[in-house]
Amino acid sequence: MISVDAFDLKILTALQDDGRLTNQELAELAGLSASQCSRRRMRLEEEKVISGYHADLSSEALGFGVIAFIQVGLATHSPDNSKRFRALVNRIDEIQEAYSLTGDADYVLKAVLRDLKGLSNLVNDVLMPHQSVAHVRSSIVLDRLKESAKLPLRDLKAG
Amino acid sequence: MISVDAFDLKILTALQDDGRLTNQELAELAGLSASQCSRRRMRLEEEKVISGYHADLSSEALGFGVIAFIQVGLATHSPDNSKRFRALVNRIDEIQEAYSLTGDADYVLKAVLRDLKGLSNLVNDVLMPHQSVAHVRSSIVLDRLKESAKLPLRDLKAG
DNA sequence: TAAGACGCGCAAGGAGCGTGCAAACAGGAT
DNA sequence: ATCCTGTTTGCACGCTCCTTGCGCGTCTTA
């Protein structure tokens, strides 16, 4: 079983905020030596508690003006059809997130696009015509209050 | 104006995949020298094209078993009420993402929780009783097909 | 064509990394 | 209490990597 103690939690919290912290900076934050942080970080990476590091890019600076949530209902719920839909979703880079949900829609997708034309193209020319898809309803994001992938480690008990 | 050329795009794409790449690795991928990659990376950081670096933690490994999308309708649409709601959202760490949307709901939130008790607590004890909130509807994520924050830089023109 | 600005690679000094090692510590059995 | 064993720690050191100064080539503008 994976065990994560209080030092690990400090390291994880810090790296969640800044993924390029050096072991020495980590050492100060965690109250440990740099070598020990290096060792712990390697362990956490090997155990896949840390699954990766990513640069966060500014969608505004790079000209992505539209974010949309797209609710999708499948034509049938056969395993084959789900498989086809998943394959479709996987090869569309504009779709950042995709989930199957409880409630009315089968799937919800979050997509980033350059403009409304991009959204129209995705919805009308890619999703709608696909054999696996029955209906599609999209909502455009008006304002982003918060957008991160940080886990709330705050109250996690060591163990 | 921010200008991003083909080299920058290669660097951004690479760092989006692995935020801890060394300048030398970056140099190989971009076909540039390490020093030049260092300079370009610093420029992209200063210009906020790269807004940060983050470690990606495994929610499974750390015991977060529930992801939910929560649609929220506000009691009134006064500026004051919106402000109150935004402040509430901001101080709840379990809420990773929050957007205001076109369509029926005013806001949609994405929350990560330890278990269903955590979700119940958030919805029934925190969101519902809040003065700014009129109604709440939550959907639980059954399956994650895709979850990233990568921008589709693939077809971006340099300029 | 001359002059300035820009972007490049190279080199070197300095910072950061990770492994070996011995000391400190924790916990169970006697 | 005391010993024994396995784990975790900090330090030292060789090695890699980072970043800045520098000189060169190229492109633009007057």
Side-chain angles (χ1 to χ4, degrees):
Chain A
M1 178 57 194
I2 301 166
S3 110
V4 174
D5 69 11
F7 285 126
D8 291 329
L9 273 183
K10 285 192 185 180
I11 290 174
L12 292 172
T13 304
L15 285 174
Q16 201 171 217
D17 268 332
D18 182 352
R20 282 191 85 100
L21 285 172
T22 66
N23 290 326
Q24 322 209 27
E25 291 167 318
L26 230 38
E28 286 218 19
L29 293 171
L32 227 62
S33 70
S35 54
Q36 207 53 18
C37 286
S38 169
R39 277 188 272 252
R40 279 170 179 268
R41 199 159 60 75
M42 287 173 93
R43 183 174 60 80
L44 291 167
E45 288 167 12
E46 271 167 21
E47 286 173 348
K48 304 284 181 206
V49 178
I50 298 174
S51 57
Y53 300 90
H54 305 283
D56 208 353
L57 308 185
S58 159
S59 48
E60 294 86 0
L62 292 165
F64 293 88
V66 174
I67 303 172
F69 281 90
I70 307 172
Q71 293 178 293
V72 176
L74 291 200
T76 77
H77 292 80
S78 69
D80 263 18
N81 209 40
S82 297
K83 219 170 118 187
R84 269 194 295 273
F85 180 70
R86 278 152 198 263
L88 175 68
V89 161
N90 259 316
R91 72 166 169 275
I92 302 176
D93 290 341
E94 283 79 3
I95 298 175
Q96 287 186 332
E97 306 179 35
Y99 308 91
S100 78
L101 288 185
T102 63
D104 3 76
D106 295 321
Y107 291 94
V108 68
L109 318 176
K110 183 185 159 203
V112 215
L113 304 135
R114 204 153 293 284
D115 48 33
L116 289 176
K117 202 173 115 263
L119 178 59
S120 160
N121 177 62
L122 174 62
V123 170
N124 296 317
D125 303 344
V126 180
L127 293 177
M128 286 292 306
H130 196 263
Q131 56 177 330
S132 67
V133 172
H135 56 90
V136 173
R137 205 181 56 175
S138 56
S139 301
I140 296 168
V141 168
L142 298 174
D143 192 14
R144 267 185 289 177
L145 283 65
K146 206 176 192 181
E147 192 170 37
S148 86
K150 288 184 201 165
L151 298 178
L153 300 179
R154 165 180 42 68
D155 56 341
L156 208 56
K157 294 282 181 299
Chain B
M1 179 55 192
I2 302 165
S3 110
V4 174
D5 68 11
F7 286 125
D8 290 329
L9 274 183
K10 284 192 186 180
I11 291 172
L12 291 172
T13 305
L15 285 175
Q16 199 170 219
D17 269 333
D18 182 352
R20 280 189 86 98
L21 285 172
T22 65
N23 290 326
Q24 320 208 30
E25 291 166 319
L26 230 37
E28 286 218 17
L29 293 170
L32 226 60
S33 69
S35 53
Q36 209 51 20
C37 286
S38 170
R39 276 188 272 253
R40 279 171 179 268
R41 198 160 59 75
M42 286 174 96
R43 184 174 60 80
L44 292 167
E45 288 167 12
E46 271 166 21
E47 286 173 349
K48 304 286 179 204
V49 178
I50 298 173
S51 57
Y53 299 90
H54 304 284
D56 208 353
L57 308 186
S58 159
S59 47
E60 294 85 0
L62 292 164
F64 292 88
V66 174
I67 303 172
F69 281 90
I70 306 172
Q71 293 178 293
V72 175
L74 290 202
T76 78
H77 291 80
S78 69
D80 263 17
N81 210 40
S82 297
K83 219 170 117 188
R84 270 194 295 272
F85 180 69
R86 279 153 198 263
L88 175 68
V89 162
N90 259 316
R91 72 165 170 274
I92 302 176
D93 290 342
E94 282 80 2
I95 299 175
Q96 287 187 331
E97 307 179 33
Y99 309 91
S100 79
L101 288 184
T102 64
D104 3 77
D106 294 319
Y107 292 93
V108 67
L109 318 177
K110 182 185 160 205
V112 215
L113 303 135
R114 206 152 289 285
D115 47 34
L116 289 176
K117 202 173 115 264
L119 177 59
S120 160
N121 176 61
L122 174 62
V123 170
N124 297 317
D125 303 344
V126 179
L127 293 176
M128 287 291 307
H130 196 264
Q131 55 177 333
S132 67
V133 173
H135 54 89
V136 172
R137 205 181 54 175
S138 56
S139 301
I140 296 167
V141 168
L142 299 173
D143 193 13
R144 266 185 289 179
L145 283 66
K146 206 176 192 182
E147 192 169 39
S148 85
K150 287 184 203 166
L151 297 178
L153 299 179
R154 162 181 43 68
D155 56 341
L156 208 55
K157 295 283 182 299

